[in-house]
């Protein structure tokens, strides 16, 4: 599989930072380094533009970009596979293809996942009846089927989840499915306050948008799904044709079971260079990493392979928060200042398109 005479860098996952590493290798060359990208699908999906895709503002090809040109330009190999297990002691990754891939240095930047077994235990019937928003590749392919059904008759759609992704999805659905038959959308947001981690001004703007688009908000918890309705913790039942599960995703099981030290948040611990202290040849990109993390990650990967000085990860200093509101609108907050409207959406659209294009610009 690999030439044992040269060092091997393995990139697990087609996340933004790993793709920025590939872009750097394409521009600066990889020398005698062997590089392999492992990902389930040969695409990158921009999750920040997903609500726009659901709302109809983007076509699928606007947010899902093939990886082949970037991989070829970087000189890397591509293995389409899922990861089954990681053995950091042996420096080996077990893949769904059956291969055990060795590495000298490993960079992990994978798509988060929803634990379907745990979800099924908490909401019996979810595995069979719900449309999961993760993994993104599956969701973007199934979403047009729901659109087609809503074009035939009025539906009652329930979005299950209380975070910003669930709110953005509910608004996008309400806009996209309202015509021609008046499909209704309900957001089942758990018992916690809606968007509790967002600035108060932004919370108010988003609640107002939910009301304007006719989204019903239930601060209740889904405890089961049977195909025609949801069972709620309060004892109530909600008639539902299409439940969309927008639960908060987390690290994949194989990463949590690799024997790496975990923090209080349940995530693998890394230092300021993104290294696992006990296994310094393993680098992990955190869930809410800075957008332009790639150049620092690339420099640190090269240092781990060839020696030199490591760089610290830049601090995420921006206080800007931007959420999609459906119907070609977005809301933004900067400190106490909040704005909402079409102008904010146009700004967000230009920013997102520019950042996505730059990711694949060689």
């Amino acid at each position: 599989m690999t030439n044992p005479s040269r060092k091997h860098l393995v990139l697990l996952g087609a996340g933004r930072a790993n793709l920025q590493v590939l872009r750097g290798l394409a521009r600066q060359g990889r020398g005698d380094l062997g590089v392999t990208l492992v990902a389930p699908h040969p695409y990158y999906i921009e999750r920040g533009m997903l609500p726009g895709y659901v709302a109809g503002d983007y076509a699928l090809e606007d947010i899902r970009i093939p990886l082949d040109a970037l991989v070829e330009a970087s000189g890397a190999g591509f293995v389409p596979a899922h990861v089954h297990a990681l053995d950091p002691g042996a420096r080996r990754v077990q893949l769904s293809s059956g291969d055990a891939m060795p590495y000298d240095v490993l960079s992990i930047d994978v798509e988060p996942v929803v634990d379907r077994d745990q979800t099924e235990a908490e909401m019996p019937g979810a595995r069979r009846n719900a449309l999961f928003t993760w993994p993104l590749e599956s969701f973007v392919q199934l979403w047009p089927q729901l659109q087609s059904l809503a074009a035939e008759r009025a539906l009652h759609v329930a979005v299950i989840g209380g975070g910003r992704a669930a709110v953005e999805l509910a608004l996008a659905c309400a806009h996209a499915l309202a015509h021609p038959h008046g499909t209704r959308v309900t957001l089942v947001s758990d018992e916690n306050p809606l968007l509790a981690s967002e600035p108060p001004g932004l919370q108010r703007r988003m609640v107002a948008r939910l009301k304007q688009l006719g989204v019903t908000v239930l601060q209740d918890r889904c405890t089961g799904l049977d195909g025609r309705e949801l069972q709620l913790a309060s004892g109530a039942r909600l008639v539902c044709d299409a439940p969309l599960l927008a639960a908060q995703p987390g690290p994949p099981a194989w990463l949590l079971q690799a024997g790496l030290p975990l923090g209080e948040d349940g995530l693998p611990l890394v230092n300021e260079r993104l290294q696992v202290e006990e296994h310094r040849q393993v680098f992990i990109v955190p869930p809410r990493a800075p957008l332009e993390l790639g150049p620092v990650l690339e420099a640190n990967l090269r240092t781990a392979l060839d020696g030199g000085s490591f760089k610290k990860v830049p601090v995420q200093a921006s206080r800007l928060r931007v959420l999609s509101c459906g119907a070609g609108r977005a809301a933004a907050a900067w400190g106490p200042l909040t704005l909402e409207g079409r102008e904010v959406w146009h700004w967000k659209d230009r920013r997102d398109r520019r950042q996505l294009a730059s990711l694949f610009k060689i």
Side-chain angles (χ1 to χ4, degrees):
M1 182 182 300
T2 59
N3 183 345
S5 66
R6 61 177 179 173
K7 292 183 177 180
H8 188 205
L9 169 64
V10 174
L11 307 174
L12 288 185
R16 179 184 289 268
N18 270 355
L19 297 190
Q20 289 172 341
V21 170
L22 288 180
R23 186 183 64 184
L25 293 172
R27 291 177 173 178
Q28 302 175 35
R30 59 183 178 87
D32 193 39
L33 176 65
V35 182
T36 303
L37 173 67
V38 179
H41 308 285
Y43 299 100
Y44 170 79
I45 297 178
E46 177 49 61
R47 70 181 72 173
M49 298 171 71
L50 185 68
Y53 166 70
V54 171
D57 299 306
Y58 299 122
L60 181 55
E61 58 267 24
D62 292 327
I63 71 166
R64 188 179 71 168
I65 310 300
L67 300 176
D68 50 355
L70 181 59
V71 170
E72 182 179 354
S74 69
F78 176 69
V79 176
H82 293 271
V83 177
H84 276 180
L86 167 63
D87 185 344
R91 299 192 184 188
R92 185 171 60 239
V93 181
Q94 187 68 42
L95 304 179
S96 58
S97 60
D99 295 319
M101 179 172 289
Y103 62 84
D104 292 288
V105 171
L106 183 68
S107 175
I108 301 174
D109 187 15
V110 294
E111 181 180 69
V113 299
V114 172
D115 187 329
R116 299 202 175 201
D117 291 336
Q118 179 180 343
T119 301
E120 180 67 21
E122 296 173 351
M123 297 181 232
R127 188 191 297 274
R128 183 176 64 256
N129 296 300
L131 173 55
F132 286 70
T133 54
W134 297 90
L136 297 181
E137 177 65 26
S138 298
F139 177 75
V140 298
Q141 294 188 52
L142 292 172
W143 168 249
Q145 298 180 26
L146 182 55
Q147 286 181 299
S148 297
L149 190 59
E152 297 174 359
R153 62 182 179 88
L155 302 176
H156 190 176
V157 175
V159 177
I160 304 169
R164 59 178 290 166
V167 173
E168 289 182 305
L169 180 60
L171 288 167
C173 288
H175 171 66
L177 305 179
H179 302 289
H181 300 296
T183 286
R184 295 179 297 130
V185 177
T186 297
L187 175 62
V188 182
S189 66
D190 300 328
E191 295 97 338
N192 299 321
L194 198 64
L195 298 174
S197 63
E198 302 295 340
L202 194 56
Q203 292 178 31
R204 290 191 293 270
R205 297 270 188 177
M206 297 303 287
V207 168
R209 284 298 295 159
L210 289 165
K211 292 180 179 178
Q212 290 169 7
L213 290 185
V215 177
T216 301
V217 178
L218 296 180
Q219 287 187 279
D220 207 336
R221 179 169 50 86
C222 178
T223 57
L225 305 85
D226 68 2
R228 281 295 301 166
E229 61 183 18
L230 308 184
Q231 293 88 45
L232 303 178
S234 63
R237 292 176 177 267
L238 176 68
V239 174
C240 173
D241 300 292
L244 274 61
L245 189 61
Q248 182 68 30
W254 58 262
L255 183 56
L256 298 178
Q257 296 167 2
L260 304 176
L262 304 179
E264 294 181 358
D265 57 2
L267 301 176
L269 285 172
V270 295
N271 60 26
E272 59 190 5
R273 302 181 295 274
L274 299 182
Q275 290 174 301
V276 177
E277 283 288 351
E278 289 77 359
H279 300 279
R280 293 199 172 191
Q281 74 283 359
V282 176
F283 292 75
I284 303 176
V285 177
R288 287 174 289 278
L291 288 179
E292 294 303 317
L293 181 65
V296 173
L297 176 61
E298 180 195 353
N300 286 346
L301 294 174
R302 289 183 184 270
T303 297
L305 288 159
D306 301 324
S309 300
F310 287 101
K311 296 184 178 180
K312 295 181 180 181
V313 174
V315 177
Q316 184 78 301
S318 176
R319 295 182 298 156
L320 178 65
R321 307 287 290 173
V322 186
L323 279 75
S324 296
C325 295
R329 303 175 74 92
W334 178 271
L337 176 65
T338 61
L339 298 171
E340 186 274 325
R342 297 188 182 278
E343 295 80 5
V344 182
W345 163 257
H346 290 311
W347 173 84
K348 179 182 185 300
D349 174 52
R350 290 192 299 270
R351 183 200 64 170
D352 290 347
R353 289 181 183 272
R354 182 173 62 252
Q355 289 176 345
L356 184 57
S358 68
L359 189 58
F360 292 89
K361 185 177 181 180
I362 307 302

